[in-house]
Amino acid sequence: MSPTTQSAYSQLEDVVGCKWSVSVLRAIAEGVSRPGALERHVQGISTKVLSERLRKLTSYGLLAKQVYAEVPPRTEYSLTENGQKLVRIIDQLKLLDVEIKRTET
Amino acid sequence: MSPTTQSAYSQLEDVVGCKWSVSVLRAIAEGVSRPGALERHVQGISTKVLSERLRKLTSYGLLAKQVYAEVPPRTEYSLTENGQKLVRIIDQLKLLDVEIKRTET
């Protein structure tokens, strides 16, 4: 079988193509940093999907996880430098999406 | 059911999240403009998937289609202004993807 096309950005493809990942990144960019608050902020996301996305985005180096040794322990997420770069790209996609819909109607 | 999160860029989500759409856009950006040449250039893409993606990308206003009344008729695709904007964003995603893989290892 002839070699098939690889994705131009294999790791980011399933991030930018996933509304939950994008919504979680944008919420954290807006300062929502704790899992409980994220679940309330990103409407419709389940606890399972949220924790999967947080784990994936952290493993990709887009989020940093901070655990505070309190009782109960407090966990906070923040954007890494690469996470901030991605959110800026996502914002460009959002503007272009509005532009495309505007020129279509 | 509580309202669920909408995609930040509903139309572009399935473009940037699809390796075939991204590969077709990048090939056209490199000057490969005719369907036959695109099918050879984007390795592994089927005729059916290629024509679907060309139709979708054109309907989104990302590609312009030009048909020349020759025998047989000649068809060429080019990036619209929005198409060029998207390719620039895709290039940023590609660079960030390389950066993420670099910082992971």
Side-chain angles (χ1 to χ4, degrees):
Chain A
M1 218 186 75
S2 71
T4 187
T5 294
Q6 298 306 312
S7 163
Y9 39 84
S10 54
Q11 212 140 19
L12 286 178
E13 191 179 277
D14 70 349
V15 174
V16 294
C18 164
K19 75 173 182 180
W20 297 123
S21 299
V22 169
S23 303
V24 167
L25 284 166
R26 296 181 73 222
I28 292 172
E30 286 162 24
V32 183
S33 60
R34 300 174 63 176
L38 282 166
E39 194 168 331
R40 287 186 296 277
H41 188 87
V42 179
Q43 287 182 335
I45 197 166
S46 70
T47 310
K48 180 171 174 286
V49 168
L50 175 61
S51 63
E52 269 168 25
R53 295 302 186 279
L54 288 172
R55 203 175 329 113
K56 179 177 75 174
L57 295 170
T58 304
S59 75
Y60 283 1
L62 296 168
L63 293 180
K65 179 178 179 179
Q66 193 72 39
V67 181
Y68 298 90
E70 296 168 1
V71 181
R74 181 159 54 99
T75 302
E76 289 188 354
Y77 289 88
S78 56
L79 293 175
T80 59
E81 204 187 314
N82 281 341
Q84 286 164 21
K85 283 181 193 169
L86 181 56
V87 168
R88 282 195 293 272
I89 294 175
I90 285 169
D91 288 343
Q92 291 175 55
L93 283 168
K94 187 168 161 28
L95 287 176
L96 183 55
D97 201 72
V98 169
E99 174 67 18
I100 284 172
K101 284 179 185 137
R102 202 179 54 76
T103 43
E104 260 191 338
T105 45
Chain B
M1 219 185 77
S2 72
T4 188
T5 295
Q6 299 306 311
S7 163
Y9 39 84
S10 55
Q11 210 139 19
L12 286 178
E13 190 180 278
D14 71 349
V15 174
V16 294
C18 164
K19 76 172 182 180
W20 297 123
S21 299
V22 169
S23 302
V24 167
L25 284 165
R26 295 183 73 221
I28 293 171
E30 286 162 24
V32 183
S33 60
R34 299 174 64 175
L38 283 166
E39 194 168 333
R40 287 187 297 277
H41 187 87
V42 180
Q43 288 182 334
I45 197 167
S46 69
T47 310
K48 180 170 174 288
V49 169
L50 175 61
S51 62
E52 269 168 26
R53 294 303 186 279
L54 289 173
R55 204 175 327 112
K56 180 177 73 171
L57 296 170
T58 305
S59 74
Y60 284 1
L62 295 168
L63 294 180
K65 180 178 179 180
Q66 192 73 36
V67 181
Y68 298 89
E70 296 169 2
V71 180
R74 181 160 53 98
T75 302
E76 290 188 354
Y77 288 87
S78 56
L79 293 174
T80 61
E81 205 188 316
N82 281 340
Q84 287 164 22
K85 284 182 192 170
L86 181 56
V87 168
R88 283 195 291 272
I89 294 174
I90 285 169
D91 288 342
Q92 292 173 55
L93 283 169
K94 188 170 159 34
L95 288 175
L96 183 55
D97 200 72
V98 169
E99 174 66 18
I100 284 172
K101 285 181 184 137
R102 203 180 53 77
T103 44
E104 261 190 336
T105 44

mmCIF file of all heavy atoms in Angstrom, chain A residues 29-65:
data_model
loop_
_atom_site.group_PDB
_atom_site.id
_atom_site.type_symbol
_atom_site.label_atom_id
_atom_site.label_comp_id
_atom_site.label_asym_id
_atom_site.label_seq_id
_atom_site.Cartn_x
_atom_site.Cartn_y
_atom_site.Cartn_z
ATOM 1 N N ALA A 29 -8.122 29.842 29.849
ATOM 2 C CA ALA A 29 -7.550 31.134 29.428
ATOM 3 C C ALA A 29 -8.327 32.287 30.060
ATOM 4 O O ALA A 29 -7.763 33.353 30.315
ATOM 5 C CB ALA A 29 -7.592 31.247 27.901
ATOM 6 N N GLU A 30 -9.622 32.047 30.350
ATOM 7 C CA GLU A 30 -10.439 33.099 30.987
ATOM 8 C C GLU A 30 -10.291 33.079 32.509
ATOM 9 O O GLU A 30 -10.979 33.801 33.205
ATOM 10 C CB GLU A 30 -11.911 32.920 30.590
ATOM 11 C CG GLU A 30 -12.221 33.323 29.157
ATOM 12 C CD GLU A 30 -13.565 32.704 28.681
ATOM 13 O OE1 GLU A 30 -14.406 32.400 29.550
ATOM 14 O OE2 GLU A 30 -13.705 32.487 27.470
ATOM 15 N N GLY A 31 -9.445 32.184 33.032
ATOM 16 C CA GLY A 31 -9.183 32.184 34.473
ATOM 17 C C GLY A 31 -9.948 31.138 35.262
ATOM 18 O O GLY A 31 -9.834 31.073 36.485
ATOM 19 N N VAL A 32 -10.726 30.293 34.573
ATOM 20 C CA VAL A 32 -11.434 29.224 35.293
ATOM 21 C C VAL A 32 -10.421 28.088 35.442
ATOM 22 O O VAL A 32 -10.054 27.455 34.448
ATOM 23 C CB VAL A 32 -12.666 28.746 34.497
ATOM 24 C CG1 VAL A 32 -13.443 27.687 35.283
ATOM 25 C CG2 VAL A 32 -13.560 29.931 34.136
ATOM 26 N N SER A 33 -9.946 27.837 36.677
ATOM 27 C CA SER A 33 -8.767 26.956 36.768
ATOM 28 C C SER A 33 -9.034 25.635 37.483
ATOM 29 O O SER A 33 -8.232 24.717 37.390
ATOM 30 C CB SER A 33 -7.659 27.708 37.517
ATOM 31 O OG SER A 33 -8.140 28.031 38.823
ATOM 32 N N ARG A 34 -10.178 25.542 38.197
ATOM 33 C CA ARG A 34 -10.386 24.318 38.988
ATOM 34 C C ARG A 34 -11.396 23.403 38.302
ATOM 35 O O ARG A 34 -12.381 23.879 37.717
ATOM 36 C CB ARG A 34 -10.830 24.710 40.402
ATOM 37 C CG ARG A 34 -9.746 25.588 41.070
ATOM 38 C CD ARG A 34 -10.149 26.145 42.406
ATOM 39 N NE ARG A 34 -10.367 25.070 43.373
ATOM 40 C CZ ARG A 34 -10.648 25.307 44.657
ATOM 41 N NH1 ARG A 34 -10.756 26.556 45.084
ATOM 42 N NH2 ARG A 34 -10.844 24.335 45.501
ATOM 43 N N PRO A 35 -11.149 22.081 38.402
ATOM 44 C CA PRO A 35 -11.995 21.108 37.697
ATOM 45 C C PRO A 35 -13.489 21.310 37.935
ATOM 46 O O PRO A 35 -14.292 21.345 36.997
ATOM 47 C CB PRO A 35 -11.509 19.759 38.219
ATOM 48 C CG PRO A 35 -10.090 19.992 38.585
ATOM 49 C CD PRO A 35 -10.011 21.389 39.096
ATOM 50 N N GLY A 36 -13.877 21.546 39.197
ATOM 51 C CA GLY A 36 -15.305 21.728 39.500
ATOM 52 C C GLY A 36 -15.868 22.928 38.767
ATOM 53 O O GLY A 36 -16.937 22.869 38.146
ATOM 54 N N ALA A 37 -15.114 24.011 38.801
ATOM 55 C CA ALA A 37 -15.584 25.243 38.128
ATOM 56 C C ALA A 37 -15.605 25.046 36.618
ATOM 57 O O ALA A 37 -16.511 25.513 35.921
ATOM 58 C CB ALA A 37 -14.649 26.397 38.495
ATOM 59 N N LEU A 38 -14.605 24.297 36.087
ATOM 60 C CA LEU A 38 -14.557 24.035 34.638
ATOM 61 C C LEU A 38 -15.789 23.244 34.206
ATOM 62 O O LEU A 38 -16.402 23.523 33.170
ATOM 63 C CB LEU A 38 -13.278 23.267 34.298
ATOM 64 C CG LEU A 38 -11.999 24.106 34.250
ATOM 65 C CD1 LEU A 38 -10.765 23.210 34.249
ATOM 66 C CD2 LEU A 38 -12.006 25.026 33.025
ATOM 67 N N GLU A 39 -16.176 22.265 35.023
ATOM 68 C CA GLU A 39 -17.328 21.415 34.662
ATOM 69 C C GLU A 39 -18.611 22.261 34.601
ATOM 70 O O GLU A 39 -19.452 22.070 33.729
ATOM 71 C CB GLU A 39 -17.478 20.287 35.677
ATOM 72 C CG GLU A 39 -18.410 19.190 35.174
ATOM 73 C CD GLU A 39 -18.367 17.926 36.022
ATOM 74 O OE1 GLU A 39 -17.305 17.646 36.623
ATOM 75 O OE2 GLU A 39 -19.386 17.236 36.074
ATOM 76 N N ARG A 40 -18.712 23.246 35.518
ATOM 77 C CA ARG A 40 -19.909 24.102 35.486
ATOM 78 C C ARG A 40 -19.840 25.095 34.329
ATOM 79 O O ARG A 40 -20.827 25.424 33.697
ATOM 80 C CB ARG A 40 -20.040 24.854 36.822
ATOM 81 C CG ARG A 40 -20.484 23.972 37.982
ATOM 82 C CD ARG A 40 -20.752 24.773 39.248
ATOM 83 N NE ARG A 40 -19.544 25.430 39.760
ATOM 84 C CZ ARG A 40 -18.618 24.829 40.525
ATOM 85 N NH1 ARG A 40 -18.752 23.532 40.815
ATOM 86 N NH2 ARG A 40 -17.566 25.486 40.982
ATOM 87 N N HIS A 41 -18.602 25.518 34.005
ATOM 88 C CA HIS A 41 -18.418 26.566 32.995
ATOM 89 C C HIS A 41 -18.634 26.016 31.580
ATOM 90 O O HIS A 41 -19.249 26.681 30.728
ATOM 91 C CB HIS A 41 -16.989 27.130 33.118
ATOM 92 C CG HIS A 41 -16.737 28.329 32.262
ATOM 93 N ND1 HIS A 41 -17.015 29.612 32.663
ATOM 94 C CD2 HIS A 41 -16.241 28.429 31.000
ATOM 95 C CE1 HIS A 41 -16.692 30.459 31.679
ATOM 96 N NE2 HIS A 41 -16.233 29.761 30.659
ATOM 97 N N VAL A 42 -18.096 24.820 31.332
ATOM 98 C CA VAL A 42 -18.210 24.243 29.978
ATOM 99 C C VAL A 42 -19.489 23.416 29.932
ATOM 100 O O VAL A 42 -19.509 22.225 30.288
ATOM 101 C CB VAL A 42 -16.967 23.377 29.638
ATOM 102 C CG1 VAL A 42 -17.116 22.778 28.237
ATOM 103 C CG2 VAL A 42 -15.695 24.191 29.759
ATOM 104 N N GLN A 43 -20.575 24.070 29.520
ATOM 105 C CA GLN A 43 -21.897 23.433 29.635
ATOM 106 C C GLN A 43 -21.989 22.131 28.840
ATOM 107 O O GLN A 43 -21.579 22.087 27.676
ATOM 108 C CB GLN A 43 -22.963 24.417 29.136
ATOM 109 C CG GLN A 43 -23.178 25.531 30.139
ATOM 110 C CD GLN A 43 -24.262 26.486 29.705
ATOM 111 O OE1 GLN A 43 -24.528 26.601 28.512
ATOM 112 N NE2 GLN A 43 -24.871 27.147 30.653
ATOM 113 N N GLY A 44 -22.504 21.096 29.504
ATOM 114 C CA GLY A 44 -22.752 19.835 28.812
ATOM 115 C C GLY A 44 -21.591 18.863 28.892
ATOM 116 O O GLY A 44 -21.718 17.698 28.533
ATOM 117 N N ILE A 45 -20.424 19.319 29.391
ATOM 118 C CA ILE A 45 -19.290 18.396 29.463
ATOM 119 C C ILE A 45 -19.470 17.472 30.662
ATOM 120 O O ILE A 45 -19.927 17.905 31.727
ATOM 121 C CB ILE A 45 -17.946 19.177 29.551
ATOM 122 C CG1 ILE A 45 -16.768 18.254 29.214
ATOM 123 C CG2 ILE A 45 -17.736 19.827 30.922
ATOM 124 C CD1 ILE A 45 -15.460 19.004 28.950
ATOM 125 N N SER A 46 -19.171 16.193 30.457
ATOM 126 C CA SER A 46 -19.302 15.254 31.581
ATOM 127 C C SER A 46 -18.003 15.236 32.380
ATOM 128 O O SER A 46 -16.941 15.631 31.876
ATOM 129 C CB SER A 46 -19.573 13.851 31.023
ATOM 130 O OG SER A 46 -18.384 13.363 30.385
ATOM 131 N N THR A 47 -18.095 14.745 33.612
ATOM 132 C CA THR A 47 -16.911 14.672 34.462
ATOM 133 C C THR A 47 -15.837 13.814 33.789
ATOM 134 O O THR A 47 -14.649 14.170 33.780
ATOM 135 C CB THR A 47 -17.311 14.017 35.818
ATOM 136 O OG1 THR A 47 -18.464 14.687 36.329
ATOM 137 C CG2 THR A 47 -16.183 14.097 36.827
ATOM 138 N N LYS A 48 -16.282 12.719 33.160
ATOM 139 C CA LYS A 48 -15.347 11.786 32.522
ATOM 140 C C LYS A 48 -14.623 12.471 31.350
ATOM 141 O O LYS A 48 -13.393 12.439 31.263
ATOM 142 C CB LYS A 48 -16.116 10.567 32.025
ATOM 143 C CG LYS A 48 -15.286 9.505 31.332
ATOM 144 C CD LYS A 48 -16.120 8.225 31.068
ATOM 145 C CE LYS A 48 -15.337 7.208 30.241
ATOM 146 N NZ LYS A 48 -15.249 7.653 28.800
ATOM 147 N N VAL A 49 -15.392 13.140 30.486
ATOM 148 C CA VAL A 49 -14.783 13.792 29.317
ATOM 149 C C VAL A 49 -13.843 14.899 29.784
ATOM 150 O O VAL A 49 -12.730 15.055 29.293
ATOM 151 C CB VAL A 49 -15.875 14.348 28.368
ATOM 152 C CG1 VAL A 49 -15.269 15.271 27.305
ATOM 153 C CG2 VAL A 49 -16.613 13.192 27.692
ATOM 154 N N LEU A 50 -14.271 15.657 30.798
ATOM 155 C CA LEU A 50 -13.437 16.740 31.302
ATOM 156 C C LEU A 50 -12.102 16.201 31.819
ATOM 157 O O LEU A 50 -11.031 16.691 31.449
ATOM 158 C CB LEU A 50 -14.144 17.504 32.435
ATOM 159 C CG LEU A 50 -13.292 18.588 33.123
ATOM 160 C CD1 LEU A 50 -12.861 19.669 32.124
ATOM 161 C CD2 LEU A 50 -14.044 19.202 34.296
ATOM 162 N N SER A 51 -12.157 15.143 32.620
ATOM 163 C CA SER A 51 -10.884 14.665 33.193
ATOM 164 C C SER A 51 -9.996 14.071 32.095
ATOM 165 O O SER A 51 -8.775 14.235 32.105
ATOM 166 C CB SER A 51 -11.143 13.650 34.308
ATOM 167 O OG SER A 51 -11.775 12.525 33.786
ATOM 168 N N GLU A 52 -10.601 13.420 31.086
ATOM 169 C CA GLU A 52 -9.815 12.905 29.950
ATOM 170 C C GLU A 52 -9.101 14.044 29.226
ATOM 171 O O GLU A 52 -7.921 13.960 28.895
ATOM 172 C CB GLU A 52 -10.733 12.225 28.933
ATOM 173 C CG GLU A 52 -10.953 10.763 29.103
ATOM 174 C CD GLU A 52 -12.114 10.306 28.205
ATOM 175 O OE1 GLU A 52 -12.393 10.978 27.175
ATOM 176 O OE2 GLU A 52 -12.781 9.334 28.569
ATOM 177 N N ARG A 53 -9.892 15.117 28.952
ATOM 178 C CA ARG A 53 -9.310 16.237 28.205
ATOM 179 C C ARG A 53 -8.204 16.918 29.024
ATOM 180 O O ARG A 53 -7.163 17.286 28.478
ATOM 181 C CB ARG A 53 -10.397 17.260 27.824
ATOM 182 C CG ARG A 53 -11.452 16.755 26.851
ATOM 183 C CD ARG A 53 -10.843 16.276 25.576
ATOM 184 N NE ARG A 53 -11.817 15.913 24.564
ATOM 185 C CZ ARG A 53 -12.475 14.763 24.506
ATOM 186 N NH1 ARG A 53 -12.264 13.838 25.449
ATOM 187 N NH2 ARG A 53 -13.334 14.505 23.540
ATOM 188 N N LEU A 54 -8.451 17.097 30.337
ATOM 189 C CA LEU A 54 -7.428 17.737 31.177
ATOM 190 C C LEU A 54 -6.145 16.898 31.162
ATOM 191 O O LEU A 54 -5.039 17.428 31.040
ATOM 192 C CB LEU A 54 -7.948 17.911 32.617
ATOM 193 C CG LEU A 54 -9.024 18.977 32.793
ATOM 194 C CD1 LEU A 54 -9.609 18.922 34.210
ATOM 195 C CD2 LEU A 54 -8.467 20.379 32.506
ATOM 196 N N ARG A 55 -6.323 15.556 31.219
ATOM 197 C CA ARG A 55 -5.137 14.677 31.226
ATOM 198 C C ARG A 55 -4.408 14.780 29.878
ATOM 199 O O ARG A 55 -3.189 14.950 29.819
ATOM 200 C CB ARG A 55 -5.551 13.225 31.490
ATOM 201 C CG ARG A 55 -4.400 12.400 32.059
ATOM 202 C CD ARG A 55 -4.787 10.963 32.446
ATOM 203 N NE ARG A 55 -6.163 10.859 32.872
ATOM 204 C CZ ARG A 55 -7.108 10.202 32.189
ATOM 205 N NH1 ARG A 55 -6.811 9.652 31.033
ATOM 206 N NH2 ARG A 55 -8.338 10.118 32.652
ATOM 207 N N LYS A 56 -5.186 14.751 28.781
ATOM 208 C CA LYS A 56 -4.548 14.806 27.447
ATOM 209 C C LYS A 56 -3.834 16.147 27.234
ATOM 210 O O LYS A 56 -2.678 16.194 26.827
ATOM 211 C CB LYS A 56 -5.602 14.597 26.365
ATOM 212 C CG LYS A 56 -5.032 14.667 24.946
ATOM 213 C CD LYS A 56 -6.075 14.394 23.880
ATOM 214 C CE LYS A 56 -6.986 15.587 23.708
ATOM 215 N NZ LYS A 56 -7.938 15.422 22.578
ATOM 216 N N LEU A 57 -4.533 17.245 27.553
ATOM 217 C CA LEU A 57 -3.950 18.578 27.305
ATOM 218 C C LEU A 57 -2.711 18.797 28.166
ATOM 219 O O LEU A 57 -1.758 19.451 27.752
ATOM 220 C CB LEU A 57 -5.017 19.646 27.563
ATOM 221 C CG LEU A 57 -6.221 19.617 26.612
ATOM 222 C CD1 LEU A 57 -7.337 20.539 27.103
ATOM 223 C CD2 LEU A 57 -5.817 19.989 25.188
ATOM 224 N N THR A 58 -2.718 18.190 29.366
ATOM 225 C CA THR A 58 -1.534 18.293 30.230
ATOM 226 C C THR A 58 -0.398 17.451 29.656
ATOM 227 O O THR A 58 0.754 17.899 29.584
ATOM 228 C CB THR A 58 -1.896 17.820 31.670
ATOM 229 O OG1 THR A 58 -3.019 18.595 32.139
ATOM 230 C CG2 THR A 58 -0.719 18.012 32.623
ATOM 231 N N SER A 59 -0.743 16.249 29.159
ATOM 232 C CA SER A 59 0.318 15.381 28.604
ATOM 233 C C SER A 59 0.916 15.989 27.340
ATOM 234 O O SER A 59 2.070 15.766 27.005
ATOM 235 C CB SER A 59 -0.258 13.996 28.288
ATOM 236 O OG SER A 59 -1.049 14.065 27.104
ATOM 237 N N TYR A 60 0.137 16.807 26.628
ATOM 238 C CA TYR A 60 0.662 17.479 25.431
ATOM 239 C C TYR A 60 1.467 18.726 25.785
ATOM 240 O O TYR A 60 1.947 19.430 24.918
ATOM 241 C CB TYR A 60 -0.496 17.908 24.517
ATOM 242 C CG TYR A 60 -1.144 16.801 23.697
ATOM 243 C CD1 TYR A 60 -0.716 15.480 23.788
ATOM 244 C CD2 TYR A 60 -2.211 17.076 22.859
ATOM 245 C CE1 TYR A 60 -1.334 14.474 23.063
ATOM 246 C CE2 TYR A 60 -2.832 16.078 22.121
ATOM 247 C CZ TYR A 60 -2.380 14.781 22.234
ATOM 248 O OH TYR A 60 -2.998 13.785 21.500
ATOM 249 N N GLY A 61 1.524 19.041 27.078
ATOM 250 C CA GLY A 61 2.289 20.219 27.478
ATOM 251 C C GLY A 61 1.555 21.514 27.206
ATOM 252 O O GLY A 61 2.158 22.594 27.124
ATOM 253 N N LEU A 62 0.223 21.437 27.067
ATOM 254 C CA LEU A 62 -0.558 22.659 26.821
ATOM 255 C C LEU A 62 -1.090 23.223 28.138
ATOM 256 O O LEU A 62 -1.348 24.423 28.260
ATOM 257 C CB LEU A 62 -1.718 22.344 25.872
ATOM 258 C CG LEU A 62 -1.304 21.891 24.469
ATOM 259 C CD1 LEU A 62 -2.494 21.321 23.695
ATOM 260 C CD2 LEU A 62 -0.684 23.061 23.695
ATOM 261 N N LEU A 63 -1.242 22.350 29.140
ATOM 262 C CA LEU A 63 -1.707 22.780 30.461
ATOM 263 C C LEU A 63 -0.683 22.369 31.509
ATOM 264 O O LEU A 63 0.013 21.351 31.356
ATOM 265 C CB LEU A 63 -3.047 22.113 30.815
ATOM 266 C CG LEU A 63 -4.281 22.463 30.023
ATOM 267 C CD1 LEU A 63 -5.493 21.681 30.558
ATOM 268 C CD2 LEU A 63 -4.564 23.967 30.043
ATOM 269 N N ALA A 64 -0.617 23.160 32.599
ATOM 270 C CA ALA A 64 0.193 22.789 33.769
ATOM 271 C C ALA A 64 -0.786 22.523 34.908
ATOM 272 O O ALA A 64 -1.760 23.261 35.071
ATOM 273 C CB ALA A 64 1.140 23.922 34.133
ATOM 274 N N LYS A 65 -0.516 21.469 35.667
ATOM 275 C CA LYS A 65 -1.396 21.085 36.768
ATOM 276 C C LYS A 65 -0.705 21.399 38.095
ATOM 277 O O LYS A 65 0.466 21.073 38.276
ATOM 278 C CB LYS A 65 -1.704 19.587 36.692
ATOM 279 C CG LYS A 65 -2.598 19.059 37.803
ATOM 280 C CD LYS A 65 -2.862 17.567 37.580
ATOM 281 C CE LYS A 65 -3.734 16.986 38.684
ATOM 282 N NZ LYS A 65 -4.006 15.542 38.463
#
